[in-house]
Amino acid sequence: MSGGVDSSMCAHILHRQGYDVTGLYMHNWNHQEETQDEYEPRPIRPHSHTCTSDRDWADVQAVCQQIGIPSHRLDFSRQYWNQVFEAMLQEYERGRTPNPDIACNREIKFGELIKCPATLSGWDYLATGHYARVEQDPVTGRARLMRSPDSNKDQSYYLSELSEPILRHVIFPLAQYNKSTVKGMAIETGVQQLKDAAMKKESMGVCFVGQRRRFGEFLQEYLKAEPGPVKVNGLDGREIGQHKGLFQYTIGQASGIAFGHQKWVVLRMDLPSNTLIVVEGTQNERLFSPGLIAESWHWIAGTPPKNLLQSVEETDRPGAEKDFPFTAQIRHRQQPQPCRIELVGDPTDGTSHGTLPQQYVVRFKDLQRAIAPGQHIVLYDRDECLGGAVIYSSLPSPSGICP
């Protein structure tokens, strides 16, 4: 539980349905003990304490007291630093843009929390306020992760690195509702703390960053900013300024570079030369790509689905029809994009039989804007989330321009 309306209503609904419910609050960030455990600590600059952890824990206690269930506070700040935050910093140092929310769900919320002795004692299910569904396959009996009916709030993207054995013991009580309905239900309960939760401003950022700071400013407290040149279109392009450190920029976003009257948008970061490459305009053709190469694939079922393997083999067969049997998202709340899968490398070397390689190509029906290495691509078969991977690189644009 976080103290927000989603997790609070999750607990309320289950309690009303007769479940024996305990509210668990996870404390994942400690300003006083920012450490890498046994590793050499990073230099940390003084900063203001922006995390609302203590206030959120007080809200969780108040909600649980009014509902009539016990509550416990569990400290995972050390695990979060070592398994999520440090990995995120390393990705930024590599010139990539990671997704710590997916890593947090995999490593902490559905990882350390489930393994914790405090939760292992007699529990049957872990329930969260995520907007997603778990269904049982009528043939195999396995648990499947499905999209929420509320497409605007669907959070299956962030849950794409969970595993089937975990999903068997997960309940999403809000699966059938949309956000506005949940808020209305909270107000109608007449429980003051639930009504207060419904009126709370929804948290959109990382708690330890704070709502009033840019993420790049926050990263400067942990990563050394190395200024370097800003060039147009490529390394051979015109130099138009200096950047403030590559980790502060994201592909497809405004660069903040003031040169002329044009709007300069980030195309990519060249780490070896410490150069920021920009293009003119948000719809510049260089920002668009027909596909990507992805690595470190995770399959919810444990192995690639059979229809995925069949699709790959059919696509690699000479003369095969190039259709798009799946959909994918390269960012949360993106409309599902039709796509197909292709092997990386020679399909005659035996790697295409039975398993997929660690890397393979995803080609989209339509051009995709601002594909960012380090971000996640999540693959779907209709409403079922099959799994996901880390984006390694985008493919050259149809015009032959490499991003």
Side-chain angles (χ1 to χ4, degrees):
M1 297 181 67
S2 65
V5 66
D6 294 331
S7 60
S8 297
M9 282 302 296
C10 171
H12 175 74
I13 290 170
L14 292 176
H15 181 62
R16 291 289 298 269
Q17 290 176 348
Y19 286 92
D20 184 7
V21 181
T22 298
L24 299 177
Y25 176 77
M26 297 189 305
H27 178 67
N28 292 339
W29 189 260
N30 192 328
H31 284 288
Q32 283 72 41
E33 297 181 9
E34 293 179 348
T35 175
Q36 291 178 272
D37 202 9
E38 68 272 20
Y39 303 104
E40 180 181 354
R42 290 176 178 269
I44 301 172
R45 301 175 187 176
H47 55 274
S48 60
H49 296 173
T50 55
C51 190
T52 60
S53 176
D54 291 339
R55 184 167 68 248
D56 292 340
W57 167 230
D59 289 342
V60 168
Q61 290 176 291
V63 168
C64 289
Q65 183 177 11
Q66 287 208 345
I67 292 176
I69 64 174
S71 59
H72 297 293
R73 180 181 182 273
L74 303 174
D75 192 335
F76 294 115
S77 56
R78 189 168 295 248
Q79 294 93 326
Y80 186 90
W81 178 284
N82 291 329
Q83 297 166 224
V84 178
F85 189 70
E86 177 62 25
M88 181 192 77
L89 294 180
Q90 291 173 0
E91 283 288 88
Y92 276 110
E93 288 178 325
R94 295 175 60 192
R96 290 155 56 112
T97 306
N99 193 315
D101 294 319
I102 291 178
C104 182
N105 282 329
R106 180 191 67 233
E107 299 291 336
I108 309 299
K109 292 181 182 178
F110 297 89
E112 294 295 333
L113 177 60
I114 287 179
K115 294 185 293 184
C116 180
T119 54
L120 280 177
S121 178
W123 72 280
D124 296 302
Y125 297 100
L126 175 65
T128 74
H130 286 95
Y131 288 83
R133 294 180 291 141
V134 176
E135 289 186 357
Q136 186 178 41
D137 189 296
V139 178
T140 65
R142 70 176 180 87
R144 303 191 301 169
L145 178 63
M146 312 296 290
R147 291 184 183 276
S148 166
D150 184 358
S151 59
N152 185 55
K153 190 63 179 175
D154 173 57
Q155 293 173 309
S156 60
Y157 178 91
Y158 293 119
L159 302 170
S160 58
E161 292 207 351
L162 302 188
S163 61
E164 192 274 341
I166 295 295
L167 285 174
R168 292 184 184 183
H169 300 280
V170 171
I171 300 177
F172 298 128
L174 306 185
Q176 60 183 309
Y177 305 111
N178 58 39
K179 183 75 174 191
S180 59
T181 299
V182 171
K183 286 187 173 183
M185 292 166 58
I187 295 172
E188 290 173 2
T189 62
V191 178
Q192 187 58 48
Q193 290 298 330
L194 292 177
K195 293 168 66 176
D196 292 344
M199 302 305 294
K200 284 179 70 173
K201 184 177 180 180
E202 188 170 3
S203 175
M204 299 299 291
V206 183
C207 79
F208 49 77
V209 177
Q211 298 289 332
R212 297 183 180 180
R213 284 198 297 176
R214 293 181 180 272
F215 193 64
E217 296 174 358
F218 168 76
L219 288 177
Q220 288 186 65
E221 297 171 2
Y222 303 90
L223 301 175
K224 183 179 179 181
E226 297 282 357
V230 179
K231 295 187 177 182
V232 178
N233 295 339
L235 291 176
D236 296 330
R238 176 179 49 164
E239 183 172 332
I240 61 171
Q242 290 279 306
H243 66 75
K244 300 178 181 179
L246 292 179
F247 62 81
Q248 301 190 59
Y249 301 89
T250 301
I251 292 175
Q253 294 187 3
S255 66
I257 302 300
F259 185 85
H261 299 290
Q262 300 93 327
K263 183 172 184 177
W264 301 104
V265 178
V266 176
L267 178 64
R268 65 183 177 92
M269 288 76 77
D270 186 75
L271 205 60
S273 64
N274 190 32
T275 302
L276 181 69
I277 310 297
V278 298
V279 293
E280 181 182 348
T282 59
Q283 300 302 307
N284 190 290
E285 64 177 341
R286 294 173 183 266
L287 291 169
F288 291 84
S289 172
L292 56 86
I293 297 175
E295 62 184 357
S296 303
W297 282 85
H298 170 83
W299 301 106
I300 291 175
T303 57
K306 289 183 179 180
N307 60 337
L308 182 68
L309 296 173
Q310 292 168 354
S311 171
V312 169
E313 292 177 352
E314 291 172 359
T315 300
D316 288 320
R317 188 180 304 121
E321 182 182 353
K322 303 294 186 178
D323 59 357
F324 303 91
F326 304 101
T327 60
Q329 293 176 217
I330 59 173
R331 58 183 63 91
H332 178 47
R333 287 185 179 173
Q334 181 188 31
Q335 287 294 317
Q337 300 295 304
C339 67
R340 68 173 184 265
I341 306 296
E342 297 179 4
L343 287 169
V344 172
D346 184 359
T348 64
D349 64 4
T351 59
S352 63
H353 298 289
T355 60
L356 283 175
Q358 193 70 357
Q359 284 189 343
Y360 58 90
V361 175
V362 179
R363 294 190 184 273
F364 296 98
K365 182 179 179 181
D366 301 311
L367 295 177
Q368 300 298 305
R369 181 185 179 278
I371 297 176
Q375 282 286 293
H376 275 68
I377 178 172
V378 176
L379 195 66
Y380 293 86
D381 184 356
R382 297 180 176 84
D383 282 343
E384 181 181 2
C385 180
L386 302 177
V390 179
I391 298 173
Y392 176 75
S393 65
S394 59
L395 299 179
S397 66
S399 62
I401 300 174
C402 293

